[in-house]
């Protein structure tokens, strides 16, 4: 019997998201989980009665857990199907994409690979920063959650898949690190492009140049803004 939702999310969403679900189905037991260890501690009986909902979480759910979830697992990805994987807003801006979005999909063993069940798309305004684009994606993702909440909270069946496919390239942390590894012969236009997108020390990573055994990390100067940078040796 479907009576539990395992909500895998962060501390900011701990209060509002369960409230939305319980508003549709007050009899639900909503368990908010932040770490893989908490999932692993759940009994097989709880997993069999549950649906898993992951909302903007870095946690990768193991296949053995997914296989035991009785009523399916849904992930809310803060990017469109064309940008599966790590840091979608960064890579979309680097590619100078015109459109971005948010995606809800069923979870399978591979990250951002399951059937897509809902999405929202929007045009990227000119001169949009990474921070702004991530905020727009989060707002659209929250709308998807609100739109799907009744079915996810009340219906043992999952929404049908849409005729939409994921992009052929999945972005990873290694791709991100590669973009921050600055070659010595980089052109000024390419350097400026990378700094605009990857120069904010996101995820604790900064663009880096290695010269004569010394590593120089680029740090955006607050006085200059996103277009300027200073290089600090480490």
């Amino acid at each position: 019997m479907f009576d539990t939702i395992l909500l895998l999310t962060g501390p900011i969403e701990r209060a509002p998201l369960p409230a939305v679900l319980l508003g549709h189905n007050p009899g639900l037991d909503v368990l908010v989980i932040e770490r893989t260890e908490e999932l692993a501690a759940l009994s097989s009986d709880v997993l069999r009665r549950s649906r898993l909902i992951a909302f903007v979480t870095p946690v990768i759910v193991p296949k053995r857990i997914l296989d035991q979830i009785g009523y399916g697992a849904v992930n809310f990805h803060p990017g469109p199907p064309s940008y599966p994987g790590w840091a979608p807003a960064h890579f979309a801006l680097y590619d100078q994409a015109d459109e971005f979005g948010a995606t809800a999909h069923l979870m399978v063993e591979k990250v951002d690979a399951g059937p897509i069940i809902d999405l929202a798309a929007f045009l990227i305004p000119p001169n949009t920063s990474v921070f702004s684009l991530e905020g727009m994606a989060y707002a659209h993702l929250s709308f998807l959650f609100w739109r799907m909440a009744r079915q996810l909270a009340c219906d043992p069946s999952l929404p049908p898949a849409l005729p939409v496919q994921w992009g052929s390239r999945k972005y990873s942390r290694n791709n991100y690190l590669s973009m921050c590894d600055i070659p010595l012969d980089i052109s000024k236009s390419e350097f400026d492009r990378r700094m605009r997108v990857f120069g904010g020390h996101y995820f604790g990573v900064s663009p880096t140049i290695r010269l004569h055994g010394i590593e120089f990390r680029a740090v955006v100067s607050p006085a200059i803004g996103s277009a300027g940078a200073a290089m600090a040796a480490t």
Side-chain angles (χ1 to χ4, degrees):
M1 176 182 172
F2 170 48
D3 61 10
T4 303
I5 284 184
L6 309 175
L7 185 58
L8 183 60
T9 191
I12 294 176
E13 296 82 10
R14 290 186 70 93
L17 298 191
V20 174
L21 297 168
L22 291 170
H24 293 296
N25 186 353
L28 272 178
D29 187 10
V30 180
L31 304 180
V32 182
I33 296 169
E34 293 186 33
R35 300 184 300 276
T36 306
E37 294 79 6
E38 296 174 84
L39 272 177
L42 296 173
S43 69
S44 58
D45 179 61
V46 170
L47 295 175
R48 281 195 301 268
R49 303 197 315 268
S50 299
R51 169 168 293 150
L52 175 65
I53 299 176
F55 188 91
V56 192
T57 175
V59 174
I60 297 176
V61 181
K63 181 178 184 297
R64 61 181 180 80
I65 298 292
L66 291 175
D67 288 345
Q68 295 182 72
I69 298 291
Y71 294 89
V74 176
N75 182 53
F76 286 83
H77 170 66
S82 52
Y83 285 91
W86 182 273
H90 292 76
F91 289 105
L93 289 177
Y94 176 78
D95 291 341
Q96 300 176 327
D98 296 322
E99 189 176 82
F100 202 62
T103 309
H105 66 94
L106 304 184
M107 297 175 72
V108 295
E109 181 179 6
K110 292 184 178 179
V111 173
D112 296 343
I116 294 167
I117 56 176
D118 205 354
L119 53 82
F122 59 91
L123 296 177
I124 302 176
N127 303 315
T128 297
S129 67
V130 170
F131 182 79
S132 295
L133 187 57
E134 289 180 333
M136 295 175 203
Y138 188 91
H140 283 76
L141 204 62
S142 299
F143 171 72
L144 287 186
F145 185 93
W146 176 84
R147 183 165 71 185
M148 299 178 65
R150 178 181 292 277
Q151 183 170 10
L152 293 177
C154 301
D155 192 343
S157 300
L158 288 164
L162 300 177
V164 179
Q165 301 299 315
W166 289 99
S168 58
R169 181 180 182 184
K170 184 172 295 182
Y171 297 87
S172 67
R173 181 177 175 84
N174 284 338
N175 295 134
Y176 193 97
L177 293 174
S178 178
M179 295 303 299
C180 291
D181 187 5
I182 308 298
L184 293 176
D185 60 350
I186 191 171
S187 67
K188 184 180 186 305
S189 60
E190 175 64 13
F191 178 75
D192 289 344
R193 184 177 172 187
R194 293 197 193 187
M195 284 301 303
R196 279 194 298 270
V197 178
F198 302 101
H201 196 61
Y202 303 98
F203 315 112
V205 179
S206 295
T208 301
I209 288 177
R210 295 169 182 83
L211 179 64
H212 302 309
I214 299 176
E215 185 176 273
F216 296 85
R217 296 181 183 175
V219 180
V220 174
S221 170
I224 300 175
S226 60
M231 301 296 292
T234 61

